[in-house]
Amino acid sequence: MESTTPPASPATPPLVTLRNVSKRFANGTLALQGMSLDIGEHDFISFLGPSGCGKSTALRLIAGLTRLSSGEMHWSGANTGQTRSDRELGFVFQEPTLMPWAKVFDNVWLPLKLAGNSRDAAAPVVQQALEMVGLSRFADVYPRELSGGMKMRVSIARALVTHPRLLLMDEPFAALDEMTRIKLNNDLLAIWREHRFSVVFVTHSVYESVYLSNRIVVMAARPGRVIDEIRIDEPYPRGEEFRTSSRYNAHCTAVSQSLHGALHGIDIDH
Ligand SMILES: Nc1ncnc2c1ncn2[C@@H]1O[C@H](COP(=O)(O)OP(=O)(O)OP(=O)(O)O)[C@@H](O)[C@H]1O
Ligand SMILES: [Mg+2]
């Protein structure tokens, strides 16, 4: 089996840099405090932590959907603070958020349509994106005809149709059954390896984060903050052999212990 070492060579500049980034909402909640992070080219980073630790807030800050309160964020190639092109990132939410009245094709076409591409002009790229997620035969069906896992695949195709450099995913597989989730984990890794974008993936699952990531950012709540970063220095591709290995178990134990520290921190604070 072909094997590669984990990515993120320090020689290439990071895609996105966060320095001491904080977010306080208007109601006074400090959702994120002093987060510093370099998102490298072709990193697969998971944000792992208990509810309310600022995972979604951090993702939305990176996406430019929320303004940071203090600190700095920089996209490589951009001159100033938060400047970046919408096409440089794709966002996948926990709910597939598809338009129920539009066919699969039209749902995936949407970002290109918004960028001014006609249906005909976009067709080859939309088909490619559907092929990527294994849904090339489903372009003409409506979302209601699809299973939960297939809807999520459409959502991933829509996020990738612009060939973003960074894919942000907020608990994308949390609502899926275990078997579907494992399949989507494997397919996501295969797509990521082939197309070489970077991923920031939010999850509550230690097992999922270890399986997928080369880096895990462990976070704690009240205030939301980073308490640890753990590297999973294991080669890709990762499959059943890795999932059932003692090394995988050892990583899961280490990450669980770190996460326990995150939860323990809350107990001390309150
Ligand atoms: N728009 C908002 N206005 C005020 N407070 C908010 C807002 N959005 C989030 N918060 C608060 O900020 C903190 C972090 O929220 P966030 O949604 O980022 O956490 P999370 O780690 O994604 O949690 P979960 O795992 O439940 O999704 C929480 O205390 C939350 O209540
Ligand atoms: Mg969240």
Side-chain angles (χ1 to χ4, degrees):
M1 203 179 354
E2 181 204 350
S3 168
T4 56
T5 48
S9 145
T12 49
L15 185 59
V16 185
T17 304
L18 282 78
R19 284 291 170 270
N20 209 17
V21 165
S22 296
K23 174 67 185 182
R24 187 184 290 281
F25 285 104
N27 66 1
T29 302
L30 186 53
L32 196 64
Q33 185 182 49
M35 183 176 199
S36 293
L37 179 71
D38 289 337
I39 303 171
E41 297 276 0
H42 202 47
D43 261 337
F44 198 123
I45 300 175
S46 284
F47 289 170
L48 178 72
S51 190
C53 71
K55 305 181 296 294
S56 296
T57 300
L59 219 57
R60 291 172 60 79
L61 282 167
I62 294 165
L65 296 171
T66 303
R67 296 181 74 85
L68 44 90
S69 306
S70 62
E72 282 177 28
M73 187 171 75
H74 184 78
W75 275 75
S76 79
N79 292 327
T80 52
Q82 289 171 273
T83 316
R84 49 111 192 127
S85 153
D86 281 346
R87 285 179 157 228
E88 285 188 313
L89 66 86
F91 208 125
V92 175
F93 303 91
Q94 181 173 347
E95 296 300 322
T97 63
L98 304 177
M99 301 178 292
W101 61 86
K103 290 180 175 177
V104 163
F105 180 99
D106 294 304
N107 270 285
V108 175
W109 171 41
L110 181 69
L112 296 174
K113 183 184 180 186
L114 294 173
N117 294 96
S118 73
R119 202 171 188 277
D120 282 351
V125 186
V126 171
Q127 275 302 339
Q128 257 173 28
L130 287 173
E131 261 163 46
M132 213 189 275
V133 299
L135 289 183
S136 47
R137 291 184 298 112
F138 293 85
D140 280 332
V141 309
Y142 288 94
R144 63 172 176 272
E145 300 171 65
L146 303 176
S147 68
M150 290 161 90
K151 283 183 192 148
M152 185 47 72
R153 287 173 186 276
V154 177
S155 179
I156 293 170
R158 182 183 54 192
L160 293 178
V161 76
T162 56
H163 298 292
R165 296 167 76 194
L166 178 61
L167 180 64
L168 303 173
M169 307 183 88
D170 198 349
E171 299 195 54
F173 308 144
L176 302 176
D177 66 84
E178 185 70 9
M179 291 312 292
T180 306
R181 187 174 181 159
I182 288 174
K183 181 84 175 76
L184 275 162
N185 279 178
N186 288 335
D187 290 355
L188 173 62
L189 279 185
I191 295 167
W192 166 72
R193 291 188 70 234
E194 186 180 345
H195 295 273
R196 306 196 63 78
F197 45 84
S198 306
V199 181
V200 180
F201 187 98
V202 169
T203 180
H204 280 118
S205 165
V206 169
Y207 305 103
E208 191 174 45
S209 67
V210 170
Y211 187 66
L212 294 173
S213 323
N214 68 321
R215 297 165 62 194
I216 301 175
V217 173
V218 182
M219 298 172 69
R222 300 189 192 86
R225 63 201 186 280
V226 174
I227 57 158
D228 202 1
E229 182 178 324
I230 298 171
R231 290 195 67 90
I232 308 296
D233 281 322
E234 297 287 345
Y236 295 93
R238 296 176 183 176
E240 280 319 293
E241 195 195 339
F242 176 56
R243 204 191 276 280
T244 53
S245 68
S246 54
R247 295 186 324 277
Y248 175 71
N249 269 320
H251 287 301
C252 288
T253 303
V255 173
S256 294
Q257 280 167 354
S258 179
L259 191 59
H260 183 74
L263 294 165
H264 190 58
I266 294 171
D267 292 339
I268 290 168
D269 290 339
H270 296 267

